[in-house]
Amino acid sequence: MTGADQPHILVVDDDDRLRDLLTRYLGENGFSVSAARDAAHARASLAGLQFDLIVLDVLMPGEKGVDLARSLRESGSKVPILLLTALSETEDRIAGLEAGVDDYLAKPFEPRELVLRIEAILRRYGEQPEPVEPATEIARSDIVCFGRFSFDLGKMTLQCEGEHVYLTTAEQALLAALIKRRGQTTSREQLHEMISGNAVDPAASRSIDVQVTRLRRKFEEDPKQPRYLQTVRGRGYVLYAD
């Protein structure tokens, strides 16, 4: 890919060496890359340029990465965010998910893994849903309905009576996993493995809980007394569809 076809990535990290390394490596792997040294610099870049994804360090002087992510989501920004965290900082990863980031990667990491995660997020964001007139809508096996909502497993999109409902890529992956096992109780560990393909890490159970809470806010009339996405005490979660 060249020029306008290259996804535009914003790398935000106060570590000059790492920021330069990531900027160079991502550029060599098919991305257009801009860099920012802190949240203020990132905000200035976001005000003037469009980005396809933000790689955001959690610990920076001044405004922290999680605070910037939360602020962007609260302002309506839907740009995917991949959070860079310290390996041992479980709380940072949980806080990032609560703030609406799409994925996280613990330092130290292999640059190739970062590329693969970015590509996976961009694939999930790749196709925006086309408006569909109710009269012409065709039922398909990959569209699952629950109440006023429908989820398209092919496009990984959620709609409410034809209106698109925004999901982070992490929320998309979790909802897809639950739908594939709809009517069956699935443990947090199983869900984590289905989503990531990796063994469970110390933050896995809590990260699933956080994402479940966020999903309920998207489609449950009363998130505290869910009708569709229910907790099975001591065992995990189950999604009931129509």
Side-chain angles (χ1 to χ4, degrees):
M1 290 184 295
T2 58
D5 293 331
Q6 293 179 312
H8 193 185
I9 309 298
L10 176 61
V11 175
V12 188
D13 199 308
D14 64 307
D15 184 325
D16 294 340
R17 185 191 64 80
L18 181 58
R19 187 175 66 247
D20 292 344
L21 183 152
L22 295 181
T23 299
R24 183 175 65 254
Y25 189 84
L26 292 175
E28 292 170 352
N29 281 270
F31 300 99
S32 174
V33 188
S34 298
R37 61 185 174 274
D38 55 27
H41 190 187
R43 287 184 181 280
S45 297
L46 288 162
L49 296 169
Q50 289 189 329
F51 294 95
D52 297 292
L53 184 141
I54 303 169
V55 176
L56 178 62
D57 186 40
V58 70
L59 288 177
M60 297 183 294
E63 187 177 9
K64 305 303 181 187
V66 170
D67 295 327
L68 175 60
R70 182 179 296 107
S71 175
L72 291 174
R73 291 292 183 251
E74 289 174 349
S75 69
S77 173
K78 298 179 181 178
V79 179
I81 300 172
L82 194 158
L83 192 69
L84 303 180
T85 73
L87 182 61
S88 61
E89 296 301 324
T90 300
E91 292 301 324
D92 288 335
R93 283 177 270 175
I94 299 300
L97 291 169
E98 289 176 333
V101 306
D102 294 86
D103 199 358
Y104 58 80
L105 185 58
K107 298 179 183 178
F109 55 84
E110 290 293 329
R112 181 59 185 161
E113 182 179 1
L114 176 63
V115 169
L116 292 173
R117 295 218 182 194
I118 289 173
E119 290 175 344
I121 292 172
L122 293 178
R123 277 197 304 273
R124 294 199 291 263
Y125 264 87
E127 186 175 346
Q128 294 299 317
E130 296 290 336
V132 178
E133 294 295 330
T136 61
E137 186 174 354
I138 300 175
R140 302 201 312 271
S141 60
D142 57 353
I143 296 180
V144 178
C145 298
F146 40 101
R148 297 182 298 124
F149 294 84
S150 62
F151 187 77
D152 188 323
L153 284 164
K155 294 182 178 180
M156 299 287 278
T157 54
L158 179 66
Q159 292 194 350
C160 176
E161 299 178 339
E163 294 294 325
H164 179 60
V165 178
Y166 171 71
L167 298 177
T168 68
T169 55
E171 291 163 356
Q172 289 173 345
L174 177 59
L175 184 52
L178 287 161
I179 283 176
K180 288 174 182 176
R181 288 180 53 81
R182 55 191 178 275
Q184 304 176 61
T185 300
T186 309
S187 70
R188 294 169 178 82
E189 292 75 18
Q190 287 176 302
L191 288 168
H192 176 79
E193 291 183 12
M194 290 176 69
I195 292 169
S196 68
N198 299 324
V200 178
D201 66 28
S205 292
R206 291 186 62 194
S207 67
I208 293 295
D209 291 341
V210 168
Q211 292 172 61
V212 165
T213 298
R214 289 180 59 85
L215 276 178
R216 284 172 172 161
R217 291 172 184 161
K218 301 288 177 75
F219 60 73
E220 294 284 4
E221 185 173 339
D222 183 354
K224 293 183 178 179
Q225 295 185 347
R227 175 180 177 184
Y228 302 107
L229 179 45
Q230 296 188 12
T231 301
V232 181
R233 189 177 300 276
R235 295 179 59 196
Y237 295 102
V238 58
L239 182 89
Y240 293 103
D242 296 341

